[in-house]
Amino acid sequence: MSGTLGYVETQRVVLADQDDPLLLRGGGRLDHVEVAYETYGTLSPARDNAIFVCHALTGDAHAAGLHLGAKKRGWWDNLIGPGKPVDTDRFFVISPNLLGGCSGTTGPLSTDPATGTPYCLDFPMLHMTDLVAVHRRLAARLGVERLYAVVGGSLGGMQALQWVIDDPDALDRALLVAASSRLSAENIAFSSVGREAIMSDPDFCGGRYVEQGVFPWRGQKVARMMAHINYVSPQSLEAKFGHRRRSHGDDWTLQPDYEVEHYLQHQGQVFLDRFDALSYLYLTRLLDYFDPFADPGTAAALRRTRTRFQLTSFDSDWRFDSAQSAALTEQLRDLGVEVDWAELASPFGHDSFLLEPPGYHERIAKFLA
Amino acid sequence: MSGTLGYVETQRVVLADQDDPLLLRGGGRLDHVEVAYETYGTLSPARDNAIFVCHALTGDAHAAGLHLGAKKRGWWDNLIGPGKPVDTDRFFVISPNLLGGCSGTTGPLSTDPATGTPYCLDFPMLHMTDLVAVHRRLAARLGVERLYAVVGGSLGGMQALQWVIDDPDALDRALLVAASSRLSAENIAFSSVGREAIMSDPDFCGGRYVEQGVFPWRGQKVARMMAHINYVSPQSLEAKFGHRRRSHGDDWTLQPDYEVEHYLQHQGQVFLDRFDALSYLYLTRLLDYFDPFADPGTAAALRRTRTRFQLTSFDSDWRFDSAQSAALTEQLRDLGVEVDWAELASPFGHDSFLLEPPGYHERIAKFLA
């Protein structure tokens, strides 16, 4: 029987301090790393039932269940819960906010212990392996040495891939949904325009907007509106909005009029409340630079892993399209890695990984069985 | 033998004044309309060899040849000239800047005769038929009653379509390249984000930036960078730029680094010198609202026209994709209009209409023969 999780709470834990700093791939270090995370289900006595969930660009630790007083359930609540594909009756699920984020885990707006003020642009550039290093510390802190699976969509899937590269023996299964091992030039182009919008906003204040008491909301809204078009598909926009307007006939305006415009306005506006511009800059940039197969150590690590991969892509996804999953499948198979890849039909574009297109949840459930 | 035009000059002519104002479809009127235009070739004694060129969103009157002292030839110089598909040895070519533009023809930055100050946001909303009305005045002023052809790409093609609807007997041929008779929800979505970037720029000053001595350059640059991604194809960006960077290894930065980013920065920057933000708002909005087949008079006009249509679309164009040309072809044929439509293979996306993919120029030459 499939049910839903009840109330859940976000926990916090310090995973790096001055005695045990996080040394970063880019050369810097973080002397204080705090992580926000949630867990669902119970760790088995054998500690062999842990599934780690990695979130996408603008996600957070609250993947499933309900926060006290909140109306909206976690962002992957349809996938995670009792009797669901990621079955909390069976698995112990760990879901953190990622390093560089803005929902409880250390990021650019956190206080730099060296100065007592927010890092802002002094926050170091993050590599995928830095995010995974924090995940590994969290798993260890929770008493988990070996993972039954790591599951992630989009940027989340890339963390799962990096995890196998960094620790080829730690995962039994890696489930990557709508992910990529290397962004296209067009992917980078769109992200670059979003960053331009944010950094050229006068209220960006050279990245120190928090200390000025302002936020680059105009630019951040534009960046999100544009990115949102990337997350859906042309056909889903057409089906949902077509040419419907709020005004009529020749009553034309330069202001938003078509329903699709009001929808984007809403998407841009709500994003301002829940996400920080600096985290957006750092995490989109991390995605641009992600290119693990350019790293000489990757092939050796993957050759010896016994982690089984499941890749899922969606035919209408033009953010990280199926060709990117196909390329990654080939890269992995060339190294002898076992990969089960499928492209599923879904009209919802990249956002399909958060929804329930036919065959998707069944596929994940089967791989975890 | 194919040659090129020599020096050409932009002319100006007043086509509406208080005695003969331009009455607009939306209800307003313009008491002074000045048009910048160029002509190439010579009008035949029988006045039967005129070809009218309609430019796209950010084009201008300078379609071919060279301005004295300039280095860059007109934007459609590869198509128009002696011995070229639009053969200036044979045809008399008329190429104006469109109404609402910012390159010599009356637009939002022109002086409102009623106030003596620039219109800015008091400029009336323009319909496609208003642009065509000015074109028709210009043709008449130049002594042309009947057109051998009207040729246009993108927005230019839409003007050609509207012209046939407005005056079904005036054109022998209408050549529409990479055009559409109705934008998709995604098309509108992208344009809306561009307008948001411009109008939310503090230097937009409620549209009266000129009087403040500033320009919404930050927003206009973002709008153009984003739109430019729309004009090219993912495969052309990949082929041209791939993952090439200017920095090396782990020397990461939030600032532009990948070549594709520097390219977009350049595209955004040069656009500021040559285009006005208000014209961009008005003309993108005109495109959003263009929907001639929703107009009850359209079918009757097209049923009686004998204008022959040639539609050309490109397989990698995702701004106005082939499906839009296919839909227009069907709409026209359902009304008994003769249409020759072809989708050509070209990797260059929407911008293909300005380039020379195989078969394209030959196709236009043949239709004009």
Side-chain angles (χ1 to χ4, degrees):
Chain A
M1 281 296 294
S2 179
T4 51
L5 283 170
Y7 290 112
V8 298
E9 271 183 50
T10 303
Q11 316 285 325
R12 289 194 189 195
V13 60
V14 174
L15 293 175
D17 56 27
Q18 284 189 311
D19 296 333
D20 182 22
L22 186 72
L23 302 178
L24 300 168
R25 158 76 183 262
R29 59 188 271 173
L30 290 171
D31 282 338
H32 181 83
V33 175
E34 197 169 340
V35 171
Y37 69 99
E38 299 191 357
T39 66
Y40 321 116
T42 309
L43 186 60
S44 63
R47 301 182 172 193
D48 61 357
N49 71 330
I51 293 183
F52 203 100
V53 173
C54 298
H55 70 69
L57 183 60
T58 68
D60 56 30
H62 183 37
L66 208 52
H67 283 176
L68 199 63
K71 285 178 192 161
K72 207 176 163 188
R73 308 188 67 87
W75 56 269
W76 225 350
D77 192 77
N78 60 18
L79 187 76
I80 303 166
K84 292 184 178 174
V86 179
D87 188 349
T88 52
D89 286 340
R90 186 176 160 210
F91 297 114
F92 175 61
V93 180
I94 307 167
S95 171
N97 182 215
L98 49 66
L99 183 67
C102 50
S103 304
T105 294
T106 297
L109 287 192
S110 300
T111 300
D112 180 353
T115 64
T117 59
Y119 284 102
C120 302
L121 289 177
D122 293 330
F123 196 73
M125 296 295 297
L126 298 176
H127 293 234
M128 201 69 73
T129 191
D130 302 322
L131 273 57
V132 169
V134 176
H135 291 337
R136 292 167 68 187
R137 286 187 182 211
L138 176 62
R141 180 68 63 92
L142 295 175
V144 175
E145 282 179 13
R146 186 170 179 76
L147 285 152
Y148 188 87
V150 173
V151 186
S154 194
L155 168 57
M158 303 183 198
Q159 294 163 58
L161 170 60
Q162 185 69 51
W163 200 326
V164 179
I165 294 166
D166 291 351
D167 193 355
D169 300 319
L171 282 67
D172 287 322
R173 295 164 192 78
L175 290 83
L176 284 64
V177 190
S180 172
S181 59
R182 191 173 193 258
L183 267 62
S184 70
E186 187 189 72
N187 291 153
I188 294 170
F190 274 118
S191 291
S192 191
V193 178
R195 286 189 297 269
E196 174 74 21
I198 290 170
M199 292 195 283
S200 71
D201 185 327
D203 285 342
F204 184 64
C205 304
R208 303 211 77 85
Y209 50 85
V210 168
E211 291 160 287
Q212 306 294 322
V214 294
F215 292 90
W217 276 332
R218 289 171 291 233
Q220 189 178 338
K221 183 180 171 191
V222 167
R224 179 62 172 187
M225 288 172 71
M226 185 191 65
H228 193 84
I229 302 175
N230 243 279
Y231 300 153
V232 295
S233 69
Q235 57 266 46
S236 67
L237 285 177
E238 202 63 38
K240 201 167 174 181
F241 303 108
H243 259 232
R244 281 187 294 118
R245 293 162 54 192
R246 295 203 180 165
S247 73
H248 298 283
D250 286 349
D251 187 16
W252 289 10
T253 171
L254 295 173
Q255 297 300 322
D257 183 8
Y258 287 94
E259 290 294 347
V260 68
E261 300 185 272
H262 287 285
Y263 170 73
L264 285 184
Q265 287 286 328
H266 174 75
Q267 294 295 335
Q269 197 62 45
V270 298
F271 186 59
L272 306 181
D273 289 332
R274 70 175 187 83
F275 214 76
D276 167 59
L278 280 165
S279 281
Y280 195 77
L281 299 182
Y282 276 86
L283 295 175
T284 58
R285 205 45 160 163
L286 161 85
L287 279 166
D288 293 348
Y289 282 117
F290 183 57
D291 191 9
F293 288 91
D295 195 316
T298 293
L302 289 174
R303 267 198 200 94
R304 74 179 178 87
T305 191
R306 297 183 67 182
T307 304
R308 292 190 296 127
F309 279 76
Q310 185 194 64
L311 268 58
T312 305
S313 59
F314 302 101
D315 60 357
S316 66
D317 183 353
W318 66 285
R319 164 68 170 156
F320 297 142
D321 65 20
S322 273
Q324 286 168 304
S325 286
L328 174 54
T329 297
E330 198 178 321
Q331 287 169 313
L332 290 169
R333 285 182 182 158
D334 283 351
L335 297 168
V337 178
E338 191 182 328
V339 185
D340 165 16
W341 166 50
E343 177 188 69
L344 301 182
S346 167
F348 306 111
H350 190 58
D351 273 354
S352 298
F353 82 91
L354 297 168
L355 305 171
E356 296 180 62
Y360 171 42
H361 279 193
E362 295 81 344
R363 182 173 161 71
I364 288 184
K366 197 173 163 191
F367 199 71
L368 292 176
Chain B
M1 281 296 292
S2 178
T4 51
L5 284 171
Y7 290 113
V8 298
E9 271 184 52
T10 304
Q11 316 285 326
R12 286 190 194 200
V13 60
V14 174
L15 293 174
D17 56 27
Q18 283 189 313
D19 296 331
D20 183 22
L22 186 73
L23 303 178
L24 301 168
R25 156 77 183 261
R29 59 188 273 173
L30 290 171
D31 282 338
H32 181 83
V33 175
E34 197 169 341
V35 170
Y37 69 98
E38 299 190 357
T39 66
Y40 322 117
T42 309
L43 186 60
S44 64
R47 301 182 172 193
D48 61 356
N49 71 333
I51 293 183
F52 203 101
V53 172
C54 299
H55 69 69
L57 183 60
T58 67
D60 56 31
H62 184 37
L66 208 51
H67 284 177
L68 200 63
K71 286 178 192 160
K72 206 175 165 188
R73 307 189 67 86
W75 55 269
W76 225 350
D77 192 75
N78 59 19
L79 187 75
I80 303 167
K84 292 185 178 174
V86 179
D87 187 348
T88 51
D89 286 340
R90 185 178 161 210
F91 297 114
F92 176 60
V93 179
I94 308 167
S95 170
N97 183 217
L98 49 66
L99 183 68
C102 50
S103 304
T105 294
T106 297
L109 286 193
S110 300
T111 301
D112 181 352
T115 64
T117 59
Y119 284 102
C120 303
L121 289 177
D122 292 331
F123 196 71
M125 296 295 298
L126 297 177
H127 293 233
M128 200 68 73
T129 191
D130 302 323
L131 274 57
V132 170
V134 176
H135 292 337
R136 291 166 69 187
R137 288 187 182 212
L138 175 61
R141 180 66 63 95
L142 295 175
V144 175
E145 282 179 14
R146 186 168 178 77
L147 285 153
Y148 188 87
V150 174
V151 186
S154 195
L155 168 57
M158 302 183 200
Q159 294 163 57
L161 171 60
Q162 186 69 51
W163 200 325
V164 180
I165 294 167
D166 291 351
D167 193 355
D169 300 319
L171 282 67
D172 287 324
R173 296 163 191 77
L175 291 83
L176 285 64
V177 190
S180 172
S181 59
R182 191 174 194 257
L183 268 62
S184 70
E186 188 189 70
N187 291 153
I188 294 171
F190 274 118
S191 292
S192 190
V193 177
R195 286 190 296 269
E196 174 75 20
I198 290 169
M199 293 196 282
S200 71
D201 185 327
D203 286 341
F204 184 64
C205 303
R208 303 211 78 84
Y209 50 85
V210 169
E211 292 161 287
Q212 306 293 323
V214 294
F215 292 91
W217 275 332
R218 290 171 290 232
Q220 189 178 339
K221 182 179 172 192
V222 167
R224 179 63 172 186
M225 289 171 71
M226 184 190 66
H228 193 85
I229 303 175
N230 244 278
Y231 300 152
V232 296
S233 69
Q235 57 265 47
S236 66
L237 285 177
E238 202 63 38
K240 201 166 176 182
F241 303 107
H243 260 231
R244 279 186 295 118
R245 293 162 52 191
R246 296 203 180 165
S247 74
H248 297 283
D250 286 349
D251 187 15
W252 288 10
T253 171
L254 295 174
Q255 297 300 322
D257 183 9
Y258 288 94
E259 290 295 346
V260 68
E261 300 185 272
H262 287 285
Y263 169 72
L264 285 184
Q265 287 285 329
H266 174 75
Q267 295 294 336
Q269 197 64 43
V270 297
F271 186 60
L272 305 181
D273 290 331
R274 72 174 186 83
F275 214 76
D276 167 60
L278 280 166
S279 281
Y280 195 77
L281 298 181
Y282 276 87
L283 295 175
T284 57
R285 206 44 161 165
L286 161 84
L287 279 166
D288 292 350
Y289 282 117
F290 184 56
D291 192 9
F293 288 90
D295 195 316
T298 293
L302 290 174
R303 267 199 200 94
R304 76 179 178 88
T305 191
R306 297 182 67 181
T307 305
R308 291 190 296 128
F309 279 75
Q310 185 194 64
L311 270 59
T312 305
S313 58
F314 303 101
D315 61 356
S316 66
D317 182 355
W318 65 286
R319 164 69 170 154
F320 297 142
D321 65 20
S322 274
Q324 285 168 304
S325 286
L328 175 54
T329 297
E330 198 179 319
Q331 287 170 312
L332 291 170
R333 285 183 181 158
D334 282 351
L335 297 168
V337 178
E338 191 182 328
V339 185
D340 164 17
W341 166 50
E343 176 188 71
L344 300 183
S346 167
F348 306 111
H350 190 59
D351 274 354
S352 298
F353 83 91
L354 296 168
L355 305 170
E356 296 180 62
Y360 170 42
H361 279 194
E362 295 81 343
R363 181 174 162 72
I364 287 183
K366 197 173 165 193
F367 199 70
L368 292 176

